[in-house]
């Protein structure tokens, strides 16, 4: 890849239009699990089948994610993402027909799995794309700060998408029909995943894919330091899924079920805002320490949430939880950018994204069952478990020794 105009900012190379396209391209991914759950439960009157189908979507995502990342690392983003986005749009369009036509449960489960297998990995590939452009085209004096801003922005965009997605599903299902969220997700996949694949920034990244000789073997992604990040991201996904589901159960038990989406949105907004402020933290505040500090905030606030007994207290705790989860997610993806083996950035990022999505689906199913069989208050303990897992893994990470320290590698690369 040529390295001309290194004195220009990242925006010069991407253009302002890149960011709304990349954000909208990740919405189908954020909508599909909840959308499938909503449609199947409404059409079949079976919460069990709905949970299994959304779980099949999650399994499909986690199976295909690393494979898609490997293909991208080999052949570039555009040749891989374009057909996948089209296939996903087609499968989402057909899914309401499969569910509403009275086909056997096995057919519904298979359709859900296919949706997950073709899930567009726009968030992971956007990170990979911006990191590559920054490292190749931004001058060294401003590179470290630009990489920090990229990670902060991308995590904030993820937070926003994971809030907007479920809320959009709920609104469309309530205002139109249970199949409407899936139809909109299909349209978004056709339009914006395609636009993201065809955007000029893809050509910048794909122009010179890493040669096979310089690309680490796929097994290198499964190293201990990278798998530790995957496990921690899985813990964050468990936190998201258990919080949304337990909050829904609590709001319903309080007689205000319509407030669950709004309250969850408060956590997401605070999380996204603080994720953006991570770029202002000094480089001497190392990533390993950020992981411990912000996951500690997450555990403390989740404990307060678990023992809150009215909507006012829950609202306060949700805002505090947002202060912990956003920076934690930024930290994990920043470490992933540093630890990804040579030529395996897309594989690493898609692996983390897949873990996040699968964990959300699993946590939603488990938390829903706990709320139904025990109580909403018991279900509200599960985010504490998820947050504690992230903190424990942060303690393990503090003992990990990697060849290159974070900021140094970012600046050097």
């Amino acid at each position: 890849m040529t390295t001309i105009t290194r004195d220009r900012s990242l925006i010069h190379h991407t253009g302002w239009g890149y960011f709304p396209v990349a954000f909208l391209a990740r919405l189908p991914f954020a909508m599909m699990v909840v959308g499938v759950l909503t449609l199947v439960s409404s059409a079949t009157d079976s919460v069990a089948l709905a949970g299994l189908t959304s779980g099949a979507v999650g399994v499909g995502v986690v199976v295909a994610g690393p494979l898609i990342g490997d293909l991208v690392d080999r052949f570039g983003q555009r040749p891989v993402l374009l057909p996948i986005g089209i296939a996903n749009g087609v499968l989402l369009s057909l899914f309401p027909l499969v569910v509403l036509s009275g086909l056997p449960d096995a057919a519904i489960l298979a359709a859900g799995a296919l949706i997950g297998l073709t899930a567009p990995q726009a968030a992971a590939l956007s990170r990979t794309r911006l990191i590559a452009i920054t490292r190749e085209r931004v001058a060294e004096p401003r590179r470290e700060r630009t990489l920090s801003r990229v990670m902060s922005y991308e995590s904030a965009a993820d937070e926003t998408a994971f809030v907007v997605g479920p809320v959009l599903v709920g609104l469309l299902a309530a205002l139109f029909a249970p199949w409407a969220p899936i139809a909109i997700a299909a349209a978004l996949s056709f339009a914006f995943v395609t636009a993201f694949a065809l955007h000029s920034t893809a050509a910048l990244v794909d122009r010179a894919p890493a040669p096979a000789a310089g690309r680490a073997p796929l097994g290198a992604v499964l190293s201990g330091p990278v798998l530790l990040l995957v496990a921690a991201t899985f813990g964050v996904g468990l936190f998201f899924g258990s919080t949304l589901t337990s909050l829904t159960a609590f709001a319903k038990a309080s007689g205000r079920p319509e407030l669950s989406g709004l309250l969850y949105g408060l956590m997401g907004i605070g999380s996204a805002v603080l994720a953006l402020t991570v770029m202002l933290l000094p480089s001497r505040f190392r990533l390993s320490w950020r992981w411990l500090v912000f996951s500690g905030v997450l555990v403390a606030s989740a404990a307060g949430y678990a023992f809150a007994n009215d909507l006012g207290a829950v609202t306060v705790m949700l805002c505090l939880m947002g202060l912990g989860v956003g920076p934690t997610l930024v930290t994990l993806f920043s470490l992933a950018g540093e630890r990804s083996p040579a030529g395996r950035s897309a594989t690493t990022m898609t692996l983390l994204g897949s873990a996040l999505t699968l964990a959300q689906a699993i946590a939603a199913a488990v938390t829903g069952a706990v709320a139904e069989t025990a109580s909403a208050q018991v279900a509200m303990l599960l985010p504490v478990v998820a947050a504690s897992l992230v903190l424990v893994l942060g303690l393990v990470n503090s003992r990990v020794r990697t060849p290159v320290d974070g900021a140094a590698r970012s600046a050097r690369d």
Side-chain angles (χ1 to χ4, degrees):
M1 182 184 296
T2 183
T3 56
I4 58 172
T5 61
R6 281 178 171 267
D7 59 321
R8 303 297 182 89
S9 67
L10 178 64
I11 296 295
H12 169 81
H13 299 292
T14 63
W16 287 103
Y18 170 82
F19 295 96
V21 168
F23 178 78
L24 291 170
R26 65 185 82 198
L27 281 182
F29 194 90
M31 294 173 65
M32 59 180 55
V33 171
V34 180
V36 164
L37 182 70
T38 301
L39 175 59
V40 175
S41 62
S42 174
T44 66
D45 201 28
S46 172
V47 176
L49 178 59
L52 286 173
T53 308
S54 62
V57 175
V59 170
V61 169
V62 81
V63 168
L67 298 178
I68 292 172
D70 180 52
L71 290 173
V72 167
D73 284 329
R74 290 173 181 272
F75 304 109
Q77 291 197 12
R78 185 175 291 173
V80 176
L81 189 58
L82 188 58
I84 285 176
I86 294 172
N88 188 250
V90 170
L91 290 167
L92 285 170
S93 299
L94 295 176
F95 187 72
L97 300 178
V98 173
V99 175
L100 298 172
S101 61
L103 290 173
D105 293 353
I108 297 175
L109 290 171
L114 288 172
I115 288 173
L117 287 169
T118 59
Q121 304 281 337
L125 296 183
S126 178
R127 275 189 178 87
T128 303
R129 191 180 296 189
L130 294 180
I131 289 172
I133 293 172
T134 300
R135 287 178 174 167
E136 294 293 335
R137 295 191 166 238
V138 174
E140 185 172 342
R142 65 167 71 183
R143 193 179 304 154
E144 180 183 343
R145 176 64 66 183
T146 301
L147 283 170
S148 176
R149 289 174 177 173
V150 164
M151 288 301 180
S152 294
Y153 166 76
E154 285 292 320
S155 293
D158 277 346
E159 293 281 346
T160 306
F162 278 117
V163 171
V164 170
V167 172
L168 194 58
V169 168
L171 288 174
L172 290 170
L175 294 176
F176 298 101
W179 53 262
I182 294 296
I184 295 299
L188 289 170
S189 193
F190 279 128
F192 291 101
V193 175
T194 299
F196 178 70
L198 295 176
H199 195 272
S200 59
T201 52
L204 292 178
V205 175
D206 295 347
R207 190 171 297 162
R215 186 171 57 245
L218 183 59
V221 180
L222 304 181
S223 66
V226 174
L227 290 180
L228 186 64
L229 299 177
V230 174
T233 308
F234 188 86
V236 174
L238 292 177
F239 174 82
F240 281 135
S242 59
T243 300
L244 175 59
T245 308
S246 63
L247 178 60
T248 301
F250 178 82
K252 183 178 180 181
S254 301
R256 302 293 301 275
E258 73 281 1
L259 291 180
S260 59
L262 177 62
L263 292 173
Y264 187 71
L266 289 176
M267 185 189 78
I269 292 170
S271 178
V273 169
L274 202 63
L276 287 172
T277 66
V278 170
M279 69 181 75
L280 302 177
L281 295 175
S283 58
R284 63 179 179 274
F285 186 13
R286 297 178 58 184
L287 292 174
S288 58
W289 286 106
R290 294 182 194 183
W291 185 344
L292 292 173
V293 169
F294 291 115
S295 61
V297 172
L298 193 59
V299 171
S301 55
Y305 167 79
F307 293 101
N309 53 18
D310 61 72
L311 286 173
V314 165
T315 300
V316 171
M317 290 303 150
L318 285 169
C319 291
L320 294 176
M321 288 158 77
L323 301 182
V325 71
T328 300
L329 202 58
V330 172
T331 300
L332 293 176
F333 277 105
S334 296
L335 286 168
E338 295 168 6
R339 295 180 185 178
S340 58
R344 290 293 181 183
S345 180
T347 308
T348 304
M349 292 299 177
T350 52
L351 188 60
L352 265 67
S354 299
L356 190 71
T357 301
L358 177 64
Q360 281 187 294
I362 293 173
V366 171
T367 307
V370 170
E372 189 171 319
T373 57
S375 68
Q377 207 70 45
V378 173
M380 291 167 71
L381 291 169
L382 297 182
V384 184
V385 177
S388 299
L389 172 62
V390 178
L391 177 58
V392 169
L393 292 172
L395 292 170
V396 174
N397 177 75
S398 67
R399 308 300 299 175
V400 170
R401 293 292 177 264
T402 53
V404 184
D405 183 73
R409 173 176 171 175
S410 295
R412 186 197 67 191
D413 289 350

